[in-house]
Amino acid sequence: RKKKAELSTKFKVQGIPTLVLVDGETGKTITTDGRSAVMEEGATFPFKPKTLADILLKPSILNKQGDKVDLASLQGKVLGLYFSAHWCGPCRAFTPVLVKTYNKLKEQNSQFEIVFVSSDR
């Protein structure tokens, strides 16, 4: 039971059934949502999650000025995917705090970027 608790904590298991896939060679997590991968028709083994480029399906995204940014320029950086919307009250409260933190982190480390994933229509 102790090992189960340690593994549940490590992989943030919230409920069962849960299927976590781990690379046996490196020990790195492939996915903590193996259950969805198994249930998805046409999913291919070893059920690796899609890359950011695969999900966005475009070679570029827009920056805050509206200019295109090549996804390749984000490789090797730590990315924060910020899911938010302008109509969301808690988001409106959190966004200024995130901007302040982002600016502070950017001063210390240029290898950090935030991608805004909008729920606005």
Side-chain angles (χ1 to χ4, degrees), residues 28-47:
K28 290 186 178 183
T29 303
I30 295 172
T31 183
T32 57
D33 192 18
R35 179 180 176 204
S36 291
V38 169
M39 297 295 289
E40 182 182 323
E41 195 167 319
T44 56
F45 182 80
F47 311 120

Side-chain angles (χ1 to χ4, degrees), residues 45-96:
F45 182 80
F47 311 120
K48 291 186 178 184
K50 293 179 180 178
T51 65
L52 184 60
D54 290 338
I55 293 168
L56 295 175
L57 296 176
K58 294 181 181 179
S60 65
I61 57 177
L62 301 179
N63 66 12
K64 62 185 174 184
Q65 289 81 24
D67 301 322
K68 287 185 178 182
V69 175
D70 190 338
L71 285 177
S73 69
L74 300 176
Q75 286 184 326
K77 294 186 178 186
V78 173
L79 295 180
L81 299 177
Y82 180 43
F83 295 83
S84 182
H86 291 95
W87 50 261
C88 168
C91 300
R92 285 195 312 266
F94 177 69
T95 299

